[in-house]
Amino acid sequence: MSSLTARRIALVTGASSAIGAAICRQLAEEGCQVIAADVNLSGAQAVALSLGERVKPVMLDVTDPDAVAACIGQILKQYGRLDLAVNNAGVAGIGLDTGEYPLDEWHRVLGVNLHGVFYCMKYQLKAMQAQGGGIIVNMASMLGPEACWGGSAAYVAARHALVGMTQSAAREHASQGIRINAVGPGFIQTPTLAAIKPDDYAAMVGLHPAGRLGNASEVAELTCFLLSERASFINGSYYVIDGGYSAR
């Protein structure tokens, strides 16, 4: 297990999702006090109920900067500090060519996947600067450095920008004892894939040299490693976890 003993108060957004829930679980198991934040409060509450007293659910819409500021403020009021943050909240968006992409959908996807992460980092960084350090992991996608397929202009644009924003912020705040990295999951086994037709699912698996899809717990392992002191010299980096999909 990675060493997280020196930094114990953690915020995870998008905590009701498969990846977010898995990260909450591992952080709690490693002794952290975890704030599980999600716009879906009932989902966050279910995660907290399953993991015990180390996980506290809160409702958070990351597209609302005032709500984000209030959430971070409440964490500081209750716990006195914020040591770890995982900005995992995200939406997929619809699949249409760029010329046909609806404006409202464009703004919705960027509002969550890019602006929401910026809002979170803005207030997380203020808290971490004041206390002399902290660690942030931003959840991007294997589409962070390249567009592996079409029909996803908003999602790809947000993920590209997120990786760049991560690297820029990491460079700016390294001297303040703050590390910021990004993780890029590929196709991860989640409940939403249960609706995919068997032939389509088999075709998806066939695109992976690993011969399978990833598990949320595997993404959590990488994320929690980056949050640990074992990764103390890793900063401003992007790590894809996709079973070799993007290496084809």
Side-chain angles (χ1 to χ4, degrees):
M1 295 179 72
S2 55
S3 173
L4 293 167
T5 56
R7 293 188 167 91
R8 300 293 292 263
I9 308 302
L11 169 65
V12 180
T13 70
S16 70
S17 72
I19 291 175
I23 293 169
C24 288
R25 177 180 296 279
Q26 183 160 334
L27 287 172
E29 288 176 349
E30 298 197 21
C32 295
Q33 177 65 55
V34 183
I35 296 86
D38 204 292
V39 69
N40 175 8
L41 179 58
S42 62
Q45 289 171 330
V47 169
L49 184 63
S50 70
L51 298 180
E53 62 182 14
R54 286 194 179 276
V55 181
K56 304 298 183 185
V58 299
M59 192 278 184
L60 178 62
D61 178 356
V62 298
T63 68
D64 181 345
D66 292 335
V68 173
C71 178
I72 303 298
Q74 183 59 39
I75 291 170
L76 296 178
K77 180 179 180 180
Q78 184 169 356
Y79 300 103
R81 58 190 298 112
L82 175 64
D83 303 301
L84 311 172
V86 181
N87 297 314
N88 174 67
V91 294
I94 61 177
L96 286 173
D97 289 347
T98 303
E100 304 300 324
Y101 214 86
L103 291 177
D104 58 346
E105 184 69 357
W106 172 269
H107 291 295
R108 185 182 76 89
V109 174
L110 267 71
V112 178
N113 294 357
L114 180 59
H115 301 159
V117 177
F118 168 72
Y119 299 148
C120 287
M121 280 211 301
K122 177 178 176 65
Y123 295 106
Q124 291 160 1
L125 286 167
K126 286 184 177 180
M128 292 176 179
Q129 286 175 295
Q131 68 196 27
I135 307 171
I136 298 172
V137 173
N138 294 324
M139 199 60 61
S141 162
M142 67 178 179
L143 300 182
E146 60 182 318
C148 298
W149 57 82
S152 54
Y155 188 86
V156 171
R159 295 317 193 187
H160 274 58
L162 176 57
V163 172
M165 183 169 65
T166 297
Q167 294 171 334
S168 178
R171 179 171 182 171
E172 294 164 352
H173 296 281
S175 64
Q176 299 162 348
I178 300 171
R179 292 193 294 106
I180 312 169
N181 292 291
V183 170
F187 288 103
I188 303 302
Q189 188 71 57
T190 64
T192 59
L193 294 182
I196 296 179
K197 296 178 181 179
D199 288 348
D200 292 338
Y201 181 86
M204 181 186 298
V205 171
L207 295 173
H208 294 71
R212 65 175 179 86
L213 304 188
N215 296 314
S217 61
E218 293 172 311
V219 181
E221 286 283 352
L222 173 57
T223 301
C224 290
F225 169 74
L226 293 172
L227 292 171
S228 77
E229 292 307 318
R230 292 171 61 190
S232 59
F233 200 57
I234 300 176
N235 193 27
S237 296
Y238 161 79
Y239 292 89
V240 66
I241 176 168
D242 68 353
Y245 182 100
S246 57
R248 292 175 303 147

